[in-house]
């Protein structure tokens, strides 16, 4: 899976979840290294975003920069 596929797959997983507003969470991938950014309302949402990233095929590292506001 290339970086675009990894990023798209994670974004799609987050978009399917009722926990996330796709306008507030960003996903960037460079190979298997994924960077999450943006904001969420709770720590649970933050943890779920990281879980979605790690469960995506091709992910080798996750840099979680999501802020809880």
């Amino acid at each position: 899976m290339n970086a675009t596929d990894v990023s798209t797959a994670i974004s799609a997983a987050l978009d399917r979840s009722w926990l996330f507003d796709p306008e507030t969470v960003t996903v960037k991938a460079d190979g298997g290294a994924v960077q999450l950014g943006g904001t969420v309302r709770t720590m649970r949402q933050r943890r779920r975003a990281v879980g979605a990233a790690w469960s995506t095929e091709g992910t080798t590292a996750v840099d979680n920069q999501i802020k809880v506001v």
Side-chain angles (χ1 to χ4, degrees):
M1 209 178 238
N2 66 36
T4 302
D5 293 340
V6 171
S7 180
T8 301
I10 294 168
S11 293
L14 295 176
D15 289 349
R16 285 191 302 270
S17 173
W18 59 270
L19 287 174
F20 299 96
D21 178 354
E23 300 294 318
T24 64
V25 177
T26 61
V27 179
K28 296 178 186 172
D30 182 13
V34 175
Q35 182 181 44
L36 301 174
T39 60
V40 293
R41 291 172 296 192
T42 67
M43 285 300 293
R44 179 179 181 216
Q45 291 174 322
R46 189 174 192 261
R47 286 190 300 271
R48 288 276 177 109
V50 171
W54 275 116
S55 67
T56 300
E57 180 184 345
T59 299
T60 58
V62 176
D63 177 18
N64 185 4
Q65 298 296 318
I66 295 175
K67 292 181 175 50
V68 177
V69 294

